Amino acid sequence: MDMMEALIAGGWLMLPLLGCSLLATVIIIERLWTLRAGRIAPRGLGQEVCTLISRGQVNLYWLESHSPLGGVLAAGLRNTRLGHEQVRARLQEAATAVIHDMERFLSPLGTIAAIAPLIGLLGTVVGMIEVFSVIVSGDGASRTADLAGGISRALVTTAAGLTVAIPALMFHRYFLRRVEDITVRMEEQAGQVVEFLAHYGGDLRLADQQEDPRDTERLEADGRLAPEVKRP
């Protein structure tokens, strides 16, 4: 039985299952691309920021455009003059926003994993009702096609519901675990920067933006312009 035959055999309840399958596939592909630890919280960024702090200058424009973790660290550094408690509070607020963004679409994916078997079960009930209605009518022997159709719908919708729900549930659990791992990495690097600031006694200069947009490619991490190389 190919896909078209399964859709026909399952009846109208195969349409919502097909929609759930397509939506779950889109969400899974999008979250696999988005929830990359190297994109959200690259390793070594906290140490790099500590190095820039030790030099006395951090370019917040570069840091915010670097990664979501960079945006979190930049939000905390903006409040360094208000004390370490304010830095920690601002880091937590910014991290909460990043975590909320990482959890986007996970709730619909979990909902699909929960309702797909129920839709399949509904198809089973509808199919069995048709079977028993044929049997009760007394002419079941002459309506074997209707009996077979009801049984087929009951089995096909159940199988389709489980086929959609099992991968959706697996990826939902996997993404939740990945969000937790990335969150722990962000907390570790943010704590590293906060600890370094607590023991840093020098002056810190924060550059909010570039003076000239044309210098974007030549801007170094510490806010200085790299020397321009003359090309022949």
Side-chain angles (χ1 to χ4, degrees), residues 11-32:
W12 63 272
L13 283 172
M14 292 295 290
L15 295 178
L17 286 175
L18 179 61
C20 290
S21 176
L22 294 176
L23 181 58
T25 302
V26 172
I27 293 175
I28 290 171
I29 294 175
E30 191 274 339
R31 288 292 90 182
L32 284 174

Side-chain angles (χ1 to χ4, degrees), residues 6-185:
L7 289 175
I8 296 175
W12 63 272
L13 283 172
M14 292 295 290
L15 295 178
L17 286 175
L18 179 61
C20 290
S21 176
L22 294 176
L23 181 58
T25 302
V26 172
I27 293 175
I28 290 171
I29 294 175
E30 191 274 339
R31 288 292 90 182
L32 284 174
W33 174 257
T34 302
L35 294 179
R36 291 173 293 154
R39 185 192 73 87
I40 299 175
R43 294 188 182 276
L45 180 60
Q47 182 60 44
E48 186 175 358
V49 171
C50 291
T51 302
L52 297 177
I53 293 174
S54 65
R55 296 178 184 175
Q57 181 175 357
V58 179
N59 184 358
L60 297 182
Y61 179 88
W62 166 82
L63 190 57
E64 288 176 338
S65 61
H66 184 277
S67 61
L69 174 60
V72 171
L73 297 179
L77 291 176
R78 292 183 187 276
N79 295 272
T80 52
R81 294 181 176 85
L82 301 179
H84 297 300
E85 292 300 325
Q86 288 295 324
V87 172
R88 291 180 183 273
R90 192 65 187 93
L91 283 172
Q92 185 174 1
E93 292 176 2
T96 300
V98 174
I99 295 171
H100 181 270
D101 185 69
M102 288 193 295
E103 293 177 345
R104 183 183 302 174
F105 304 132
L106 294 189
S107 180
L109 186 61
T111 302
I112 291 173
I115 67 172
L118 297 179
I119 297 176
L121 180 60
L122 177 60
T124 300
V125 174
V126 172
M128 296 308 296
I129 289 175
E130 293 181 0
V131 170
F132 283 110
S133 65
V134 173
I135 295 176
V136 171
S137 64
D139 56 349
S142 61
R143 298 177 60 185
T144 56
D146 293 335
L147 288 172
I151 297 173
S152 176
R153 178 173 304 175
L155 297 178
V156 169
T157 53
T158 301
L162 294 175
T163 302
V164 174
I166 291 174
L169 180 61
M170 292 175 58
F171 276 102
H172 181 258
R173 297 289 181 84
Y174 169 73
F175 289 140
L176 288 178
R177 180 62 182 177
R178 178 175 287 191
V179 169
E180 291 178 0
D181 293 340
I182 297 176
T183 301
V184 170
R185 182 185 295 189

Side-chain angles (χ1 to χ4, degrees), residues 61 209-219 225:
Y61 179 88
Q209 59 185 0
Q210 306 172 60
E211 296 296 334
D212 189 347
R214 293 174 298 179
D215 293 327
T216 302
E217 296 181 354
R218 295 172 49 214
L219 192 66
L225 289 178

